[in-house]
Amino acid sequence: MTQLVWFKRDLRVHDHAPLAAAVATGEPVLPLYILEPDLWRQPEMARRHFAFLSECLGELDEALAQRGARLIVRVGEAVQVLCDLHAAYDLRAIHAHEETGLLWTFERDKAVRRWARRANIPCKEYRQNGVWRARFDRQGWAGRWEAMMRSKTHLAPVRIRAVDAVSDLIPEGGSLGMPEDLCPERQTGGRREAVLLLRSFLTNRGRFYRRAMASPVAGAAACSRISAHLAMGCLSMRETYQATLRAKARWQAVRDQDFAESIASFASRLHWRCHFMQKLEDEPEMEKLALHPAYEGLRRVGSDHEAIVTAWAQGRTGFPFVDACLRSLRATGWLNFRMRSMVMAFSSYHLWQDWRRPGQALARLFTDFEPGVHFPQVQMQSGVTGVNIARIYNPIKQSRDQDPEGAFIRRWVPEIGPLPDEFVHEPWTAPPALLAAKGIVLGETYALRLVDHETAARQARQSVYAVRAGEAFFEKARDIQRRHGSRKSGLPSIERPARPKPKAKPAQTEFDF
């Protein structure tokens, strides 16, 4: 009889409830990772994710080997893999964490549970990330989350009584049908790197977190950079949160209030990360459908949709700061949250493109792609939730605010690097003679603007708010608020007029990992 531990996006032996429960039975344990080719064919998945995963799997295998077991990797469809293992090892139970992921993985998990019931095998699923399954009432969610995050962590097992099983070779990404994906500055996967990053953030790098998080340059060092490790489960949310609280207490004890406040801001963003994951858990269709149905079809998908999305994703919009952000993202796999919001909003508002394809393109570029954060944010930044104001970033203001001397632009958009600071943010305003002297030909050496950003923003705002009319719209909005609104700080009242006051604050948080 064998206890099977199915690893998904929880690639660690520390604070791992399924592993702890399986080991506690005293029976042989089979640690399993199923590499599912169909998952890697989904439009959100990319080789940078696969490369990061492979590094995480390698370290997990090492950690298990130190405890007397090995990670068994099987390539194939989950139900068939489990069926084969049951025939060979007589599975007593399957232990796994609940996963808030793609609709594809949601359907996969339901198929596994159906098979397990037919096979009379208990399929025991354990909560992680403070996300509750099959519970739609948000009342008390923040308190439940806080209680779980402060509860005792599971110690890594000292010794695992292992099953002697053969592991499949991990294939190359290309053999799974994934196109080439150059990401030369991608983060390294695995728990060792995750622990080093968290430790350096809490003891040194995080000092200027609150100040630097908005900058794509300073934020790269001042943010924690553990988001990819949280997404793949090299660190548990609980151990991360508890380490954060301990660091905050240490800085408060030595009266370093600035550092303590930065760490407190980070702790709040860990909370908000799970708050957004809960949204997707409660409404998995958010991956495909607008949260408020009145916004379905608002942006017509035209014949030029793919070309526009491709130009945007490749950093060829003609707006230097937007292009720099997207080119940086392509090369590093990471971008700070404010700029993630800006590039998505730019696609949805200024370029007036439907949110789904750009959302998939960004998912492929983010090494730290976390579906539960990604899809609610993509919808929020596209103005299709029905309960958040339309936040339209001015790309020129953001450029001058976050990159006043143009250093970030010059690194990633060298075509216009020779321009002086006053024109590098808006090369179309430079005198023709200056452009010619610098060898810059707009439309040839650097892209022409795809739109006039001021006109596009004005039209987008009018279109988004024109939908907000009638009792039917607001009744649905109230239902969305009841279902998904935070009970800690709340969403703005939706009883107000459809058009917000000019200086209204957006009902969203900004979190950077």
Side-chain angles (χ1 to χ4, degrees):
M1 302 293 281
T2 302
Q3 301 285 331
L4 185 142
V5 178
W6 180 13
F7 288 91
K8 300 177 189 176
R9 291 192 298 129
D10 50 356
L11 306 182
R12 61 185 185 274
V13 297
H14 299 267
D15 196 25
H16 198 287
L19 180 61
V23 171
T25 67
E27 294 182 343
V29 174
L30 196 161
L32 173 70
Y33 184 84
I34 307 175
L35 204 159
E36 302 160 281
D38 283 351
L39 171 61
W40 293 96
R41 297 187 182 106
Q42 299 306 301
E44 293 82 7
M45 307 307 290
R47 278 208 210 183
R48 64 188 61 192
H49 304 141
F50 190 78
F52 190 91
L53 166 73
S54 298
E55 293 160 356
C56 297
L57 292 177
E59 281 203 20
L60 175 59
D61 183 45
E62 292 176 17
L64 290 167
Q66 292 170 4
R67 293 159 173 83
R70 298 304 297 264
L71 179 67
I72 305 305
V73 176
R74 291 293 172 91
V75 179
E77 186 268 329
V79 169
Q80 187 60 55
V81 167
L82 293 170
C83 188
D84 293 344
L85 289 172
H86 181 44
Y89 299 102
D90 190 15
L91 302 183
R92 167 91 69 171
I94 298 170
H95 303 265
H97 273 123
E98 295 174 345
E99 179 180 7
T100 302
L102 296 170
L103 272 170
W104 189 94
T105 63
F106 182 50
E107 294 301 327
R108 181 270 320 274
D109 286 350
K110 289 195 292 186
V112 166
R113 287 194 293 271
R114 288 193 297 269
W115 169 82
R117 282 195 298 270
R118 291 194 300 269
N120 199 31
I121 302 171
C123 189
K124 302 178 180 181
E125 293 185 292
Y126 302 77
R127 182 179 302 116
Q128 67 170 343
N129 296 314
V131 174
W132 271 257
R133 177 155 290 177
R135 180 166 185 157
F136 300 111
D137 182 8
R138 273 299 188 112
Q139 195 65 38
W141 181 87
R144 292 194 300 273
W145 184 87
E146 188 76 24
M148 179 181 174
M149 291 303 114
R150 290 177 178 269
S151 65
K152 188 176 181 180
T153 59
H154 297 278
L155 296 177
V158 175
R159 190 74 184 167
I160 301 173
R161 184 183 171 194
V163 169
D164 185 16
V166 178
S167 185
D168 292 345
L169 293 176
I170 298 177
E172 294 293 324
S175 67
L176 296 174
M178 288 183 283
E180 187 176 17
D181 176 28
L182 298 178
C183 189
E185 298 180 44
R186 176 183 61 80
Q187 289 183 258
T188 301
R191 184 175 173 88
R192 279 192 294 269
E193 181 68 13
V195 170
L196 288 173
L197 283 170
L198 182 58
R199 182 180 297 135
S200 66
F201 174 76
L202 296 177
T203 60
N204 182 28
R205 293 187 297 108
R207 175 175 295 279
F208 303 110
Y209 173 70
R210 289 201 306 165
R211 236 180 296 166
M213 69 169 73
S215 166
V217 179
C223 293
S224 78
R225 304 304 301 275
I226 65 169
S227 53
H229 301 282
L230 287 173
M232 205 58 73
C234 302
L235 293 167
S236 78
M237 176 58 69
R238 178 163 51 191
E239 62 181 340
T240 301
Y241 187 67
Q242 291 183 12
T244 300
L245 295 183
R246 290 193 297 270
K248 177 186 172 185
R250 287 196 300 271
W251 291 117
Q252 287 176 328
V254 296
R255 293 183 172 82
D256 192 334
Q257 195 59 29
D258 286 345
F259 208 150
E261 289 178 358
S262 279
I263 299 301
S265 294
F266 176 69
S268 72
R269 278 134 180 97
L270 294 176
H271 171 101
W272 276 99
R273 182 179 189 273
C274 298
H275 162 74
F276 280 99
M277 293 177 71
Q278 185 70 58
K279 289 174 183 280
L280 188 66
E281 179 66 41
D282 290 345
E283 198 149 353
E285 295 79 11
M286 199 181 298
E287 174 187 331
K288 305 289 186 184
L289 300 173
L291 190 57
H292 199 303
Y295 284 106
E296 281 297 331
L298 175 66
R299 298 170 171 94
R300 185 181 63 84
V301 177
S303 59
D304 57 356
H305 181 53
E306 289 298 324
I308 293 174
V309 172
T310 298
W312 164 81
Q314 292 179 350
R316 295 186 287 107
T317 69
F319 289 84
F321 190 58
V322 173
D323 291 344
C325 286
L326 285 159
R327 294 185 194 186
S328 169
L329 174 59
R330 296 182 73 85
T332 68
W334 183 86
L335 192 64
N336 64 313
F337 180 76
R338 183 184 291 272
M339 298 305 99
R340 295 185 190 211
S341 301
M342 181 194 71
V343 297
M344 187 65 217
F346 184 85
S347 170
S348 294
Y349 291 118
H350 292 92
L351 302 183
W352 201 242
Q353 299 304 300
D354 183 81
W355 55 273
R356 278 158 273 235
R357 279 285 293 108
Q360 291 172 348
L362 285 181
R364 291 193 296 273
L365 293 175
F366 293 147
T367 304
D368 58 4
F369 169 53
E370 174 60 71
V373 176
H374 185 72
F375 293 113
Q377 281 293 320
V378 162
Q379 291 212 25
M380 182 181 291
Q381 305 305 338
S382 301
V384 297
T385 66
V387 294
N388 300 100
I389 72 167
R391 187 175 193 184
I392 304 177
Y393 292 79
N394 183 323
I396 307 307
K397 182 180 186 303
Q398 291 298 313
S399 183
R400 294 188 182 279
D401 286 351
Q402 306 302 336
D403 189 30
E405 297 178 356
F408 184 70
I409 290 173
R410 289 187 174 90
R411 178 181 177 187
W412 296 107
V413 191
E415 307 97 298
I416 59 170
L419 287 176
D421 294 356
E422 60 183 305
F423 296 118
V424 76
H425 305 280
E426 303 175 82
W428 57 89
T429 65
L434 176 61
L435 292 172
K438 301 297 184 181
I440 299 170
V441 181
L442 298 182
E444 294 183 17
T445 61
Y446 180 61
L448 288 168
R449 287 187 298 168
L450 292 178
V451 293
D452 177 281
H453 63 283
E454 293 179 340
T455 300
R458 187 164 51 250
Q459 292 173 345
R461 189 180 299 277
Q462 292 170 352
S463 297
V464 167
Y465 283 113
V467 176
R468 299 191 177 197
E471 182 54 29
F473 177 93
F474 286 102
E475 180 54 39
K476 178 60 178 176
R478 285 189 285 269
D479 178 62
I480 293 169
Q481 186 179 47
R482 286 190 295 269
R483 188 179 181 92
H484 296 293
S486 168
R487 299 302 186 266
K488 189 172 183 179
S489 60
L491 288 168
S493 170
I494 51 174
E495 302 295 341
R496 56 176 169 73
R499 186 174 298 278
K501 295 179 180 179
K503 293 186 178 181
K505 295 283 181 74
Q508 64 186 64
T509 187
E510 295 186 354
F511 46 95
D512 305 71
F513 297 128

